[in-house]
Amino acid sequence: MPTGHAVIHGYLRSLDGSPGVYRMLNAKAEVLYVGKARNLKARVTNYSRPSNQHSGRIARMISETASMMFLTTRTETEALLLEQNLIKQLKPRYNVLLRDDKSFPNILIGKEHGFPQIKKHRGKRSEKGSYFGPFASAGAVNRTLNQLQRVFLLRTCSDPMFESRTRPCLLFQIKRCSAPCVGKVTEAEYAAQVSDAEQFLSGKSTQIQAELATAMAAASEAMEFERAAALRDRIRALTNVQQAQGINPKGVAEADVIALHLEGGQACVQVFFIRANQSWGNRDFYPRTGAGAEEAEILEAFVTQFYDDKEPPRLVLLSHAVENPDLVAEMLAERAGRKVELAVPLRGEKAELVENAARNARESLARRMAEGAAQTKLLQGLADAFDLDAPPRRIEIYDNAHIQGSDAVGGMVVAGAEGFIKGQYRKFNIKSKAGALGDDFGMMKEVLTRRFERLLKEDPDRKTDAWPDLLLIDGGAGQVSAVGEIMAELGVDDIPFIGVAKGIDRDAGKEEFYRPGEPAFALQRNDPVLYFVQRLRDEAHRWANGAHRAKRSKAISVTPLDDVPGVGATRKRALLAHFGSAKAVARAGVSDLMAVDGISEAMAQVIHDFFHDR
């Protein structure tokens, strides 16, 4: 099949000057590149002419192109949005790709209750209330929540817990909550605390401190010394919060600082979140560089993909200019519903913020490259030790967790050349009888069957990197034999797998390894590959046990009221607050149930019939 400039030139007759998106495909119909253009004909014309001005990356891409596909749009902004959607969906080799789909946590002060709860929130903003963020990590949110509790004494307990309290909890005793659950503070006083917290999170901490100082002086003059001491403690806590905030730019109220460092074909992008003149943490990203893209293209692709599902701030500070700054700013403004400014500062406080982010990007990439070299050596050692054809690019490690068959969960952990790939971890709630029976072989069969049936359905030709090169199974000869039968039944018995058993006295360091049809063997006690396998096994164990604990904890909090038709969270809270327990609700008559707020006669009859029919 012909490829290259001549093939691309053949499409010119059917193109006009419309904006749109084009796809370049190789002889196997695999998408090599997705691009946008203000003028499709002009862009394709540029590719169709042999030129020494093309970079090596673009020249390789053109030489592999056997066909093209086109989609026209009304505007270039629409083309940019469509381009990023297709890049995320198709993951072409020559495109820059942001390999991270995690959302960022926020702080939410709810507004659906007379005494609002302050809590961490992640995901869609569907709950009524005030949102503050994003924060770089759950740890950053938790630290801020801890500080806010000291200063503003807002409750963090859930609504059902709030309704069921008859006396203050420990947080009141250690001065982390004002105990609105038992009337230690009025609704108006609590509303003032909520307002202060919202002002603080909006950057008005100086004003709050002055108001607290005035109130403390007034309480002291009125000889309300206990109240004055409480206000003094809150002022001290607020001062500590302000001192612990790290980099607090005075001239930048709201911005994301995005800096790129490119070295050896690898890239690191650092994003710092500035909100309310405070640094709310940072996160590093390692986008795929599209086989050699330059800084401007990498940063533009990163920005457009990063804000695909996030609301951009009013200001985005960049370390490098992007290729189409006006177009990117227009796209971000359309997404935010207001103006968004892109800037590459050269001096002043903003430039210092960018330089700090760039330094962090440089250092993070250096650490990652060093770790990658060590990881590559370990993967080669693993291939040598286990007689694999090549170092594995993707290892999947499986483990089960349960207590005598209850709350059984299977866990899958993934590792590769870059270490643990936590975004690829999976947990499997065991649905078959094997879980209830505590049958480890049966549970492993269910997990592997579900895993590989899905892979065979989604990618039967194994074109993506979702297929593993090696499976590690927690178990010995029996487990390995069972896994061999499962893989043969699924038709994927060409994937090597190894069982890892604790060995003599179940002592770490004496692990035995099992392969189908071969005797068990062990590695030297000081072999780095043995430590590597132990880390993989222990991570799978941690992940499976964590999923099991979460499932068990959730099961403990379940009540029969969860199964009553028409009884949601609000009615459940009201019933438990009125009767004290689900058992008391089950014993109640229709007239007693009707005494609960929100329970009509028809609803009371439904609840009564549910328990008495049982």
Side-chain angles (χ1 to χ4, degrees), residues 551-583:
K551 185 177 181 181
R552 191 173 76 237
S553 176
K554 186 176 180 181
I556 290 170
S557 65
V558 169
T559 77
L561 293 174
D562 295 321
D563 298 324
V564 181
V567 174
T570 302
R571 282 176 172 156
K572 178 182 170 183
R573 277 199 305 271
L575 288 164
L576 290 174
H578 186 87
F579 290 102
S581 68
K583 187 177 290 186

Side-chain angles (χ1 to χ4, degrees), residues 109-125:
I109 299 179
K111 293 296 174 66
E112 296 181 351
H113 194 282
F115 294 96
Q117 174 194 14
I118 186 169
K119 63 181 180 179
K120 177 173 63 182
H121 176 87
R122 193 191 290 271
K124 189 176 180 181
R125 298 186 176 189

Side-chain angles (χ1 to χ4, degrees), residues 63 77 182 271 282 382 424 432 465 472:
S63 69
T77 303
V182 292
V271 183
N282 66 296
L382 193 67
Q424 299 288 319
S432 64
D465 56 6
L472 291 181

Side-chain angles (χ1 to χ4, degrees), residues 5-6 8-9 12 41-54 62:
H5 298 283
I8 296 173
H9 190 274
L12 291 176
K41 187 166 187 175
R43 178 59 57 85
V44 174
T45 299
N46 184 48
Y47 287 132
S48 69
R49 295 172 180 163
S51 171
N52 294 328
Q53 296 180 354
H54 290 312
I62 291 172

Side-chain angles (χ1 to χ4, degrees), residues 356-414:
N356 177 63
R359 184 180 66 255
N360 277 272
R362 184 169 60 250
E363 293 171 354
S364 295
L365 184 59
R367 286 193 297 270
R368 184 181 177 88
M369 292 174 74
E371 291 167 1
Q375 188 79 354
T376 300
K377 189 174 180 181
L378 285 171
L379 292 173
Q380 181 62 58
L382 193 67
D384 295 339
F386 295 152
D387 197 23
L388 305 177
D389 294 335
R393 292 170 299 171
R394 179 187 175 98
I395 306 169
E396 292 184 357
I397 310 98
Y398 292 88
D399 194 10
N400 298 324
H402 62 94
I403 296 178
Q404 296 181 342
S406 67
D407 304 311
V409 176
M412 179 188 86
V413 164
V414 182

Side-chain angles (χ1 to χ4, degrees), residues 314-337:
R314 299 180 186 277
L315 175 63
V316 179
L317 300 175
L318 302 174
S319 61
H320 299 77
V322 297
E323 291 183 331
N324 304 282
D326 294 339
L327 178 62
V328 174
E330 183 181 340
M331 187 207 83
L332 297 182
E334 187 174 305
R335 187 169 298 284

